Structures are given as C-alpha cells and as structure tokens.
Amino acid sequence: MMLACPIPISDYPVVTLAHGGGGHMMRRLIRDVFVAALGNDTLQSNTDSALLDIPSGRIAFTTDSFVVKPLFFPGGNIGTLAVNGTVNDLAMAGARPRYLSCGLILEEGLPMDTLWRIMLSMKQAADAAGVSIVTGDTKVVDKGKGDGVFINTSGIGELDPALRIGPDAIRPGDVILTNGDIARHGMAILAAREELALEAPIDSDCAPLNHAVAALLQAGIDIHALRDATRGGVASALVEMAQDARREFLIEESAIPVREDVRGACELLGIDPLYVANEGRMVCLVPEEQADAALAILRTCFPDTSPARIGTVQSRDSGRLVLRSLIGAKRMLDLLSGEQLPRIC
Amino acid sequence: MKYLDEYRDAEGVRTIAAAIARITTKPWMLMEVCGGQTHAIIKFGIDALLPEGVTLLHGPGCPVCVTPVGIIDQALEIAGRPGVIFCSFGDMLRVPGTRRDLFAVKAEGADVRMVYSPLDALQLARKHPDKEVVFFAVGFETTAPANAMSVYQAAQEGIRNFSLLVSHVLVPPAMEALLSSPDNRVQGFLAAGHVCAIAGCEPYIPLARNYKVPIVVTGFEPIDVLRGIHLCIRQLEEGRAECENAYPRAVRHEGNPAAMDMVAEVFTVIDRKWRGMGEISRSGLGLAPRYADYDAVRKFNPASDDVPESPVCISGLVLQGLKKPHECPAFGNRCTPEKPLGATMVSNEGACAAYYRYRKS
C-alpha cells in the first residue's frame, strides 16, 4: 500500500471547493485517494450504487456520523472511529458486518495528506474488522463551515434469522460482562483536546467488537443482550438496558476495570469513568452457567484489556441500575442530563 | 492509586462506621458544608452506613448552587458581547440564568470557552490582544488564590484586555447565617477541608464557641468523611463544641499564608448575595479598588444583578434542612434538573436533584 499521498502535494496540497464540484478534480480525488486507499472490486466498479450479494435472508442495517476534535488522537483517528463505530453497532445486533458506506464532508483547506492518512486508517480498520467500504460520497464545504472532516458510515451486516438478542431475552441471574477497562476513549480525547499534561498519553480503546461476538456465538454462548458502551459510557448503556428489560441490574464498582492512568485523569477532573465514552467496549449479558466460558472467550479475544464480570441481573423488576460502591453501599445510577463537565470543587 | 485507595478501603470504612455506631446514643443532625463532600457521600453511599437517626444535611458549599441568578445573567450578557472571549469552569456552563445558560449563548455564536484555570484564561488574553477575555471567577476560598494570581499577573505584565466577573463567597459567614437563624437545626458541621487548607482553622474557633456547635474540618474520601462524622458525633455525645481537624494531611491550622496573602492583595471582603439564602453580610470577595480595572462589571456595565428568585422555590429552606424537596409545590413539575428554579435543583449534588432522580424512577 502507498504510504505517501498519491495526489502530488505540489498539485493540490489542500482540499478545495473544486474537489466537490463533480468535475475532473473530483474524479481524480475519487480515483487517486478513495479508490486507491480503500480499493475493492465493488468500489472500483464506479457505478451509482454498489450491488451486493447477501446470502442470509435477514440483514442488520445501521448508520452513524462522526465528528471529533482533534481528528487524530492517541490510539486512533476519525477514520478508525467511523469504521469501528458502525461495525460495532452491527455486531451488537449479533450481525456479521459485511459492507460499509463512507460519506465525507470535507472543509475547504483540509491538507490532502491528512485526508490520505484518514483513508489509510479506514482501510486498515476495515480490513481488521473484515468489512469492505463499497460506496461513498464527498461534499466540500467553505472554510470555517466544518471541522476538517465529518464522516458518516452506514453498514450492512448478515444476521442469523434465528438469532434473538435484545432486552426481551434478559433473565434474572444473567451475568454482566465487559470486554475490558473502561473510559479510555473519552479521556484520551479530553486529554488531547485540552492538552492536559499527563505523564503518558492515554490511548483510545477504539477497536472492532465483531470478532469477539462471532467467537461467543460460535462457542454456543446464548448471548441475551449486547450494547456497546459509547457516548454516556457503561453506566448509560446499562441504565437503558435495565429500563428496557424492566429488571434491576446490580454492578460492583470494585469489579469494573479502569486503568490507573485513566482513573487518575478522571479523579483530577472530577469525572466519573462509568459515564465516559468508549469506542471498543461492550457490555454482554449471558446466562450464569455460561458466564465463565464467555469470559474466557473474551479474554482470548482481548488479551490486553482485562475483560471482567461486573454484575448480575436481579429478579426485582424496578428497571434500575444499582451500583455497589467500593465501600459496600448501594446507590442508583441514572442517565446524566447532558455531558459530564469538569467540576469546580 | 496512592493517597486514594487507602481512604476508600472497605475494611477501614467498616471499622469507622462501627466506631460511629458504638458512640451514637441519640439522633444528630450534621451538615457537610462542601459540595465536594456531598458528592462523595452520594457517590459512595456513605449516608447508608450511618446509624439510624444520624442525618446529613447538604450545606451551601456548592459554588454552582449558590451563585445568584442575577450574576449568571450578567455573565450571559457579557459573553454575548462582540469581541469577548468568555471563560468559565466547566460546570458553570450549564447553570441557567433567568432564561438560558452559557451553552445557549455559545450556540448563538458567542465565544465561550471552558478552562481549567484562570491562568489559562490569562494566557488567552496574551494570545488575543484584540479581544476582551473575561473569566467567571466563582467559588469559595479554594479557588480565590488562583483567581487572585491571574489578576496580579495581568497587572504585573500590564495586560489590559483581561477581567474577572467575580462571584466569590466565603464559608464562615454562611455557616454563621445558618446558625443564627431561629429555625436552625444543624447540630454539628463537617467543615470543608479544601477551604481550610487555604484559609486555615482559625475562623471556625469563635463560631464553635459562640454557637456551641462542634465544627470538624473534614476531607473528601469515604474514610475522611467518616472520620469527620466520628469526631463530630463524639463531641456532641460528650457535650463539647470545638473546632477539630480530622484532615491534618491536607490542612494546617494556619492554612496557606502565601495563598491568603495573594487573596488579600487582590480582593477585599464585601457583602454578597447567595442563591437560596439571600444577602449575607461580609460573606464574599470583590476586587480591591486598586484592581478595579480588572472588574468585568465595571468594564462592561451589564444590567443590574438584582433578579428576584422564584417566589415558589423553597431551596433556602431545603438548604437549612427545614423542608424536604418534595414539600415544594414546584418540585418535579415546574422545577426539574433540566429547568431548575432554585439552587438545590441546579447541581447534581443538590438535595432536590437527588430526590428528583430517586422519585422519578
């Protein structure tokens, strides 16, 4: 793969309005940047729609838009987020992600090299997740009307018609698992955005989850529910699941893995890691008798992130999420009104 | 994590909780003064470990809660002026004024920025000499030294495009206002550890003596809070009323003289209005006359800060532990965390917000 941007810097060092104009420059951008970076047969066919074969009778379909500042951060960039975010949304339905679209809104003046690096990252992330980017669109907006790059990805995944994953399948006694330490992505972005002087940069947890879900299903784990813990963090994901299932969920603060550097940054800013965004973490509800086997699979799939058993579904039908704190007292967790803000005191 | 884990140790917590239970023979009503302590109490569920009859009242020490609506309106007005970069700590951005908050003003095009220190705001003033940079200086004795330092540095460097919108309040006068109310129910105080780390323990000695109330300087981790409660109840059970320090690892009796010198250099003690409590004599800080050029109110002359509080809101009574949130007619209907009428619904740690979340589910 080419590592240098194939459009000579001397020709087009930055994205111009003409790159969205539908003429030669746009064709060249598509050919030399998008197809060159993302290349696959479907994308190369240069037709108005991608024509896809899906063997199973049922598909999962999702869409997500990505805006992030800074565009590049430790552990990833907007391109890796855009691929993994949509891949993970498909995986949370139990689907096998196959195809993605990529809609780009570029701000006039974006360095062509930046665009190229993002495209290479998207290709790498797509390969790692086993999906193809098969169709796309580009618009260019005036300088000052965008934040460099906005990306929308939609995704199609194949679904086993017999599979039922969701709140209706949740049962008392189910065990709540997570595939690793939480709150890294949100703190990585915050630290990078605010230029916090931490001892070492916190790297995002951005990663695809579909291989782990496939491994669980293949091993015969009867997954009752899955949710990726993105915006709002693990707490918000579990609050919504508990409400939908009309069951009380009990989680143990002492069992929830948070890396030491992440905890330090959260303490410093008065931010609760349970509500901080993740981009490669899910909560997974499985029957008690399969919990150990499921955890072992997660540990094989994520050898470096400390997957853990963090709680259980109770028989009470309160629809609440309850946290047993480090000191053994219980408190209810709710959705936040808005974004978490660093506290004065 | 060092200096944290040992103060969150479940075994240590149980030991102190058991010690509190052993010495407690009567119901007691204690008030933790600081919002940071309220936060820890709710976050860790510390109140659930106390003997029945021991009640914790959540005091007025949350700067988000007690900043008057009128000053927030002034902040919104100044932030909306052309050429202004308005800087604030994060959690003030969502606090509503009469009609909207700083987030809304930002959405309308104002340059509102979240900063972590007033010195970051001063740095913006250096970087943008063509803009007026205003920092929203809220908080207690804890945030006053750094805010003072920003003005002091600006003056030293001759930076003119920097100013503070000051809403600084002081803890001891508010405690005295609570204690001198005929309806007071507070029998013992957990004083705010971080405030005392700056201002020292001295101001609390006459309060404890004159009002015959134990005041225990208390920290913020579960074991710190429980130690404070333990010492406070021990005094009450033994019939003593003294100022004691349960947080010696951070608080020296004399406080931090260098920080207090900086505060005294830049600020002067003035009367201040508290949201939910009204005007309290000599309970706040304003810029000293020699630094008046750094006063955003003087510089921008926004409309008066005299905005009446909601006539139905009872947050003042809630703050004093005289009423429960659900006894308010506006609770949960006209007044919610998204549209708060009063102080105690504003912040997540406020008593009304906590009740609302519990009841709602």
Side-chain angles (χ1 to χ4, degrees), chain B residues 142-153:
Chain B
T142 337
T143 51
N147 292 347
M149 179 59 92
S150 70
V151 170
Y152 181 77
Q153 282 189 5

Side-chain angles (χ1 to χ4, degrees), chain A:
Chain A
M1 181 178 292
M2 285 174 286
L3 289 176
C5 178
I7 293 189
I9 296 288
S10 55
D11 285 5
Y12 307 108
V14 298
V15 171
T16 65
L17 287 173
H19 283 113
H24 280 300
M25 285 181 63
M26 185 163 140
R27 287 181 68 93
R28 191 160 169 208
L29 182 73
I30 292 170
R31 187 190 69 204
D32 291 352
V33 175
F34 302 141
V35 176
L38 305 173
N40 57 61
D41 293 345
T42 316
L43 194 62
Q44 268 151 4
S45 71
N46 205 16
T47 49
D48 281 338
S49 295
L51 307 176
L52 310 169
D53 295 316
I54 298 279
S56 83
R58 209 157 166 251
I59 63 164
F61 179 45
T62 187
T63 188
D64 207 342
S65 298
F66 298 83
V67 296
V68 64
K69 202 164 142 184
L71 293 174
F72 292 79
F73 46 83
N77 60 54
I78 190 169
T80 50
L81 278 185
V83 171
N84 287 328
T86 294
V87 162
N88 291 345
D89 282 347
L90 293 170
M92 293 305 101
R96 286 184 298 281
R98 295 287 308 274
Y99 303 110
L100 299 189
S101 69
C102 172
L104 293 166
I105 295 176
L106 307 177
E107 185 184 6
E108 181 187 20
L110 176 78
M112 197 58 81
D113 187 57
T114 302
L115 179 61
W116 176 245
R117 283 161 60 208
I118 292 169
M119 286 302 118
L120 288 187
S121 298
M122 290 189 79
K123 170 65 172 166
Q124 273 174 7
D127 286 348
V131 297
S132 304
I133 298 171
V134 292
T135 185
D137 176 58
T138 308
K139 295 286 183 291
V140 181
V141 295
D142 290 331
K143 191 162 182 64
K145 298 285 167 60
D147 236 344
V149 186
F150 298 146
I151 304 180
N152 171 277
T153 51
S154 295
I156 290 173
E158 280 184 74
L159 204 54
D160 175 351
L163 200 59
R164 289 285 178 270
I165 293 178
D168 295 344
I170 294 172
R171 298 282 174 269
D174 281 359
V175 170
I176 304 168
L177 304 172
T178 172
N179 65 314
D181 63 292
I182 66 164
R184 251 202 265 158
H185 177 72
M187 294 315 290
I189 295 291
L190 191 63
R193 186 185 301 160
E194 306 296 340
E195 295 170 6
L196 298 183
L198 303 175
E199 280 175 21
I202 294 171
D203 54 322
S204 166
D205 54 40
C206 184
L209 299 169
N210 56 320
H211 299 309
V213 173
L216 290 168
L217 291 172
Q218 198 156 26
I221 303 292
D222 178 19
I223 301 173
H224 285 173
L226 286 170
R227 188 73 63 99
D228 55 345
T230 52
R231 268 177 306 182
V234 166
S236 303
L238 288 173
V239 167
E240 288 173 5
M241 289 169 97
Q243 283 172 358
D244 292 346
R246 296 191 189 83
R247 291 284 170 202
E248 186 158 305
F249 288 13
L250 176 65
I251 57 173
E252 306 284 340
E253 190 172 15
S254 59
I256 299 167
V258 186
R259 230 168 56 175
E260 195 76 354
D261 53 345
V262 176
R263 244 183 92 195
C266 288
E267 286 291 341
L268 196 68
L269 298 172
I271 284 177
D272 188 342
L274 280 167
Y275 288 95
V276 175
N278 309 276
E279 285 294 340
R281 295 291 177 265
M282 60 179 169
V283 286
C284 175
L285 273 62
V286 299
E288 152 76 272
E289 62 275 14
Q290 291 187 317
D292 288 342
L295 187 57
I297 291 167
L298 290 177
R299 286 183 172 150
T300 309
C301 296
F302 300 96
D304 305 321
T305 66
S306 322
R309 177 181 181 133
I310 61 168
T312 47
V313 176
Q314 309 290 296
S315 50
R316 291 182 61 184
D317 61 359
S318 67
R320 286 181 186 169
L321 175 63
V322 177
L323 174 85
R324 186 162 18 227
S325 76
L326 290 176
I327 65 171
K330 289 183 183 175
R331 86 182 141 109
M332 203 191 81
L333 298 180
D334 198 357
L335 297 177
L336 298 179
S337 293
E339 211 179 333
Q340 278 200 100
L341 296 170
R343 284 152 31 86
I344 297 173
C345 75

Side-chain angles (χ1 to χ4, degrees), chain B residues 19-266:
Chain B
I20 292 171
R22 267 198 308 279
I23 61 167
T24 305
T25 64
K26 299 190 192 80
W28 298 112
M29 208 161 268
L30 313 183
M31 175 175 277
E32 87 277 0
V33 170
C34 178
Q37 292 163 335
T38 307
H39 187 82
I41 287 163
I42 294 175
K43 181 174 171 198
F44 291 99
I46 295 169
D47 45 349
L49 304 174
L50 299 178
E52 209 172 324
V54 173
T55 307
L56 292 178
L57 303 172
H58 308 315
C62 162
V64 173
C65 297
V66 300
T67 302
V69 185
I71 294 186
I72 294 169
D73 282 351
Q74 289 184 328
L76 300 172
E77 188 184 330
I78 294 171
R81 300 264 181 102
V84 166
I85 301 177
F86 194 89
C87 303
S88 168
F89 291 130
D91 48 2
M92 285 306 292
L93 296 178
R94 202 162 41 212
V95 181
T98 312
R99 281 184 305 278
R100 46 197 189 145
D101 59 20
L102 281 166
F103 273 132
V105 176
K106 181 171 187 283
E108 287 163 13
D111 190 349
V112 176
R113 305 196 190 183
M114 182 173 77
V115 295
Y116 294 88
S117 158
L119 299 174
D120 294 344
L122 183 59
Q123 186 56 28
L124 281 171
R126 290 189 190 102
K127 216 167 122 186
H128 301 281
D130 54 325
K131 302 272 188 183
E132 278 291 338
V133 175
V134 183
F135 180 72
F136 199 178
V138 295
F140 291 86
E141 289 89 331
T142 337
T143 51
N147 292 347
M149 179 59 92
S150 70
V151 170
Y152 181 77
Q153 282 189 5
Q156 292 287 308
E157 295 174 32
I159 296 171
R160 314 299 296 173
N161 63 323
F162 178 74
S163 57
L164 300 187
L165 178 60
V166 182
S167 181
H168 264 296
V169 279
L170 300 169
V171 168
M175 286 169 66
E176 182 152 23
L178 287 171
L179 286 168
S180 56
S181 155
D183 300 320
N184 171 51
R185 293 165 71 196
V186 181
Q187 295 168 294
F189 278 107
L190 310 181
H194 291 160
V195 167
C196 300
I198 303 294
C201 303
E202 203 66 46
Y204 302 93
I205 294 172
L207 273 181
R209 192 176 47 230
N210 297 344
Y211 291 93
K212 297 185 178 45
V213 59
I215 300 176
V216 180
V217 176
T218 301
F220 301 85
E221 295 302 322
I223 286 188
D224 293 320
V225 173
L226 285 166
R227 275 183 187 153
I229 293 170
H230 184 239
L231 291 187
C232 198
I233 291 182
R234 196 169 71 184
Q235 284 200 41
L236 288 164
E237 292 280 348
E238 292 174 359
R240 291 184 292 124
E242 299 158 13
C243 175
E244 257 184 300
N245 185 359
Y247 195 34
R249 77 175 189 281
V251 177
R252 283 176 298 174
H253 185 80
E254 70 279 16
N256 181 340
M260 289 307 286
D261 286 350
M262 181 51 66
V263 172
E265 161 70 22
V266 172

